[in-house]
Amino acid sequence: MTQLGATVTRDGIRFAVWSSSARRLWVSIFDHAGSHETDRLELQPEGQGVHALFVSGLAAGTRYGFRADGDYAPEQGRWFDPDKLLTDPYGIEIDRPYAYHWRLAARRNEGADTASLMPKTVALALSKPMTARAPVFSPGGLIYELNVRSFTKLHPDIPEEQRGTIAALAHPVIIEHLKKLGVSAVELMPVTASIDERHLPPLGLSNAWGYNPVTFMALDPRLAPGGLAELRDTVAALREAGIGTILDLVFNHTGESDRLGPTLSLRGLDNQAYYRHQPDGRLVNDTGTGNTVACDHPVVRKMVLDTLRHFVRHAGVDGFRFDLAPVLGRVDGAFDPAAPLLGAIAGDPVLADRVLIAEPWDIGPDGYQLGNFRPPFLEWNDRCRDDARRFWRGDAGMVGALATRLAGSSDVFGKAGQPASRSVNFIAAHDGMTLADIVSYERKHNAANGEQNRDGHNDNLSWNNGAEGETDDTAIAKARFDDRCALLATLFASRGTIMLTAGDEFGRTQKGNNNAYAQDNAITWLDWAGRDQALERYTSALAALRRAVPALSDTHLLTGEPAESSGIPDVAWLAETGAPLAEADWNDPTRHRLVMLLGDAGGGRLAIMVNGDRRQCVFTLPVREGFRWQPAIETQAIDLARPLPGRSVSFMTEHRIEKWQPVFGQSDAEKLVRAGPARAATGRVRDG
């Protein structure tokens, strides 16, 4: 198929758009301010649904939009209305953000021309594609999920005019923070242009997350006022610091929503082709947002691939996270791991080496597909999230489940003899409670969303440690701090790729709101001034340990067998007594303690001691002649002469006695000024 969109040449611009059922299509040209339509030119059919026109004398920077005419029968899925100005699906820049207005959803002949309400697409002359470079990120690393706007909106060291933008991520103070955490790649929540859901403006709210796109390539002007160049320059600055960039993209639905939604682009061009429909003409809603993109349609498939190639070639990104990814693999409504689009992404010459991450569920039939995507796709692992929360909440019978998640979830990712885990382990994400709120709120508090607390999940697997929300009780505050440390340590000890959501390293809170998508305010803006710096230092220490001990970031599934070169099993599971866990131990519903003993090819061992009980405990580790156990993370509070409180994860490394040296020296220990059981050995350790 011919190139679609606006192609800028020395002599003018060629406009091309696809529609299989429009009878007539036009390009509307606007003045530089985008406020006055200066010309309306009819496109000519070129075959295979392509309509195009070359307009001489136009140059880069031209503002334009499309219009389409044909049958208008919404009940049959036809929405043609030439009064609706439409964004180019291949547009890579728009001149202003989208803003919802009821006239955008008005029926034909009832809403007047919408040009004054719509952003105009800006024709750009793209520079030569960037030289291909291998991704910085590799599986096993730390992904740092962040919302571009909320991340720096309140950062005191970022120039005020730059706060909340993509460019702010390249600021030295941000890069320093990311490096301190050992971030392998930032994962940017959607940065393409989105529109508010129609119920939000009357409530005085707006979509803060961006998971409601109109088209797929154009960046949101509020997040990237410098356009594509701003993204490219930021990606380059992060890469220079050894940090990759992953874009969270939404191909499963658009902001045109259900039958009452606005006509902005795809709906007005060819609703029946771009979206999936029921046999009776109703829109399929496998996404919970009102519509579902028809990713099994060849033209949609091409548009998705062109979008991904665009961000690789012209921004240099490392890869992509796919929101509600089963939609991309649905063929005639049913998920197929061998779907043409999924295969095309994995096999494309430009995309084949990129990082590909699936959110492996949607709300459609058989929508839960964890473990069913094929390599090289990594997958968000909600079982890791849920089992870790259940264990630390104190649920009975969870020690086996926790061990499985720490070991990389072989029950999910070890199918067909696959040797490595494709798990992306996380405890909290943008969707749901923050890590700090998990241990501070037993139930959701979403009144600010304007839906009488009906929205958001009701089962958060959370606990409050004795009081709901904020409290002055020092004992509760300490218990919450210890639980946060334990959750973070569990994450950093888990095999596979790990993901930390921005701010969870220093105790960000959303006041119990578990669905804060509509809170573009202090509820979601990170409070840099009020961050818990002790928790942040502990997170940095965990990150440094993970980088220093290869066994932690290795993604190969564990076997319990020794490596030939060392004779040390890659894993052993022990009770707190040092004895191997027996079948009865695994099945004991009251057991909340275990030791994960990791070995590496070099003969070293790392003990991860988990005490999920609130009582203190003495742990005993097996000894080897000539070696001794020492804390992997030193703290001033450590005292091996006495047991320490429970509710903690501790790390011990084995060293030759004559060459022992802690992973972190006293200078690092002195920084951990706030004592807590998660930063010390879980009890006394007996060694040789």
Side-chain angles (χ1 to χ4, degrees):
M1 184 185 294
T2 186
Q3 182 174 343
L4 299 176
T7 304
V8 179
T9 70
R10 287 186 306 176
D11 301 320
I13 300 177
R14 182 181 188 273
F15 299 96
V17 67
W18 182 89
S19 176
S20 65
S21 52
R23 286 197 293 269
R24 300 179 70 185
L25 287 135
W26 297 266
V27 58
S28 288
I29 309 298
F30 291 83
D31 62 9
H32 189 70
S35 58
H36 177 64
E37 185 175 4
T38 61
D39 215 342
R40 186 179 303 187
L41 305 168
E42 187 164 2
L43 306 179
Q44 301 303 311
E46 292 187 346
Q48 297 184 313
V50 175
H51 300 251
L53 182 71
F54 180 82
V55 184
S56 61
L58 297 181
T62 296
R63 269 67 170 166
Y64 71 99
F66 291 127
R67 299 178 186 272
D69 197 7
D71 293 339
Y72 184 81
E75 66 282 359
Q76 300 174 16
R78 299 183 180 90
W79 294 79
F80 293 109
D81 180 356
D83 281 342
K84 298 291 194 300
L85 187 72
L86 308 172
T87 301
D88 182 357
Y90 274 72
I92 56 178
E93 184 173 306
I94 58 175
D95 66 353
R96 70 201 71 177
Y98 290 97
Y100 182 82
H101 190 283
W102 69 267
R103 286 204 291 117
L104 296 170
R107 295 178 64 86
R108 184 164 173 158
N109 298 323
E110 294 180 2
D113 193 288
T114 64
S116 63
L117 305 175
M118 285 288 291
K120 311 307 181 293
T121 311
V122 182
L124 292 184
L126 286 172
S127 58
K128 183 180 178 181
M130 301 173 63
T131 302
R133 301 176 68 183
V136 175
F137 174 85
S138 59
L142 167 61
I143 294 173
Y144 189 73
E145 183 196 37
L146 65 86
N147 179 292
V148 167
R149 180 168 170 81
S150 67
F151 186 57
T152 60
K153 186 66 178 175
L154 299 179
H155 200 297
D157 296 325
I158 302 296
E160 188 170 355
E161 68 277 6
Q162 201 178 61
R163 294 176 189 173
T165 69
I166 291 174
L169 305 181
H171 193 282
V173 71
I174 297 299
I175 290 179
E176 179 185 3
H177 181 76
L178 298 175
K179 292 180 70 173
K180 182 175 63 177
L181 293 175
V183 171
S184 306
V186 293
E187 181 177 296
L188 309 186
M189 288 169 61
V191 293
T192 55
S194 62
I195 190 169
D196 291 334
E197 292 82 353
R198 62 178 177 268
H199 72 280
L200 294 181
L203 297 173
L205 301 173
S206 61
N207 190 309
W209 287 355
Y211 290 96
N212 206 36
V214 177
T215 57
F216 303 136
M217 297 186 194
L219 298 175
D220 194 306
R222 295 165 295 188
L223 303 178
L228 184 62
E230 180 171 335
L231 176 61
R232 181 181 64 244
D233 293 345
T234 298
V235 170
L238 291 167
R239 170 179 277 273
E240 184 67 23
I243 301 167
T245 303
I246 297 169
L247 298 185
D248 189 344
L249 296 180
V250 181
F251 293 118
N252 57 78
H253 78 281
T254 77
E256 292 181 307
S257 189
D258 57 20
R259 64 183 181 85
L260 301 178
T263 297
L264 307 169
S265 182
L266 304 182
R267 170 172 289 171
L269 289 169
D270 198 330
N271 180 71
Q272 289 179 308
Y274 285 115
Y275 298 112
R276 290 181 47 230
H277 292 76
Q278 303 280 8
D280 62 3
R282 290 179 300 152
L283 287 159
V284 169
N285 186 20
D286 288 342
T287 61
T289 59
N291 64 41
T292 303
V293 174
C295 288
D296 53 351
H297 192 289
V299 170
V300 175
R301 187 163 67 240
K302 180 181 185 303
M303 182 168 56
V304 171
L305 290 168
D306 287 344
T307 300
L308 300 178
R309 296 184 193 115
H310 166 72
F311 285 120
V312 173
R313 286 171 170 160
H314 297 287
V317 302
D318 274 32
F320 308 95
R321 181 260 190 189
F322 299 97
D323 184 63
L324 302 184
V327 170
L328 281 71
R330 289 190 178 274
V331 179
D332 295 329
F335 177 77
D336 181 359
L341 178 54
L342 297 178
I345 292 171
D348 187 88
V350 176
L351 307 174
D353 68 341
R354 297 297 102 177
V355 182
L356 305 174
I357 302 172
E359 181 186 36
W361 48 78
D362 62 28
I363 68 167
D366 297 319
Y368 188 74
Q369 293 294 332
L370 178 66
N372 293 332
F373 285 77
R374 295 180 175 178
F377 280 89
L378 306 179
E379 301 182 35
W380 272 27
N381 187 354
D382 64 325
R383 292 189 191 176
C384 178
R385 174 198 66 193
D386 293 351
D387 286 345
R389 292 189 188 187
R390 288 189 177 101
F391 178 86
W392 290 108
R393 188 173 64 174
D395 291 16
M398 291 303 300
V399 71
L402 181 69
T404 301
R405 303 307 156 221
L406 287 171
S409 298
S410 61
D411 59 332
V412 176
F413 299 106
K415 301 173 183 177
Q418 293 183 22
S421 177
R422 296 183 293 105
S423 179
V424 176
N425 301 320
F426 63 102
I427 305 297
H430 69 270
D431 187 5
M433 285 190 175
T434 70
L435 187 141
D437 287 354
I438 290 168
V439 304
S440 306
Y441 295 88
E442 200 168 78
R443 58 189 181 274
K444 66 183 183 183
H445 294 263
N446 295 359
N449 297 350
E451 299 183 44
Q452 292 76 51
N453 208 40
R454 294 191 301 264
D455 63 305
H457 295 292
N458 292 317
D459 185 12
N460 295 282
L461 304 176
S462 61
W463 61 101
N464 63 22
N465 277 290
E468 188 72 1
E470 296 181 1
T471 178
D472 294 328
D473 189 306
T474 56
I476 292 175
K478 182 180 184 303
R480 289 175 177 176
F481 180 82
D482 293 344
D483 285 353
R484 291 164 191 166
C485 288
L487 287 168
L488 285 165
T490 301
L491 174 64
F492 279 85
S494 62
R495 206 167 183 85
T497 298
I498 62 173
M499 186 184 77
L500 180 70
T501 298
D504 280 352
E505 72 273 20
F506 52 68
R508 74 179 179 108
T509 177
Q510 293 177 170
K511 309 300 183 184
N513 193 320
N514 74 352
N515 189 35
Y517 78 101
Q519 302 298 326
D520 183 14
N521 51 45
I523 292 178
T524 57
W525 297 348
L526 268 62
D527 180 11
W528 291 90
R531 65 191 195 271
D532 186 335
Q533 296 187 38
L535 188 66
E536 183 179 330
R537 287 192 291 269
Y538 178 56
T539 308
S540 297
L542 289 171
L545 176 64
R546 187 174 172 94
R547 294 195 303 273
V549 180
L552 287 175
S553 57
D554 194 336
T555 61
H556 286 88
L557 292 170
L558 299 167
T559 65
E561 299 297 322
E564 293 182 8
S565 58
S566 69
I568 302 294
D570 59 6
V571 70
W573 301 98
L574 311 177
E576 62 273 19
T577 62
L581 282 169
E583 187 70 22
D585 296 320
W586 287 115
N587 294 323
D588 181 358
T590 66
R591 169 164 286 281
H592 299 285
R593 301 185 179 112
L594 82 157
V595 176
M596 181 182 186
L597 195 60
L598 291 174
D600 60 44
R605 293 194 295 181
L606 173 73
I608 303 167
M609 299 178 294
V610 179
N611 184 11
D613 200 302
R614 292 196 179 274
R615 297 168 294 178
Q616 63 184 23
C617 180
V618 175
F619 277 73
T620 300
L621 297 178
V623 299
R624 287 194 293 168
E625 185 176 353
F627 291 82
R628 69 179 298 166
W629 292 100
Q630 292 289 347
I633 300 177
E634 288 277 16
T635 73
Q636 291 174 311
I638 196 157
D639 180 356
L640 297 180
R642 63 177 175 81
L644 293 171
R647 301 288 287 179
S648 60
V649 179
S650 298
F651 302 86
M652 303 290 286
T653 52
E654 195 179 46
H655 298 269
R656 292 189 183 277
I657 292 175
E658 69 275 15
K659 295 183 178 179
W660 174 77
Q661 185 177 359
V663 174
F664 302 103
Q666 185 63 29
S667 61
D668 295 284
E670 289 170 353
K671 298 176 184 177
L672 297 173
V673 296
R674 183 172 180 179
R679 282 162 293 148
T682 312
R684 186 169 58 231
V685 176
R686 303 183 181 96
D687 60 40

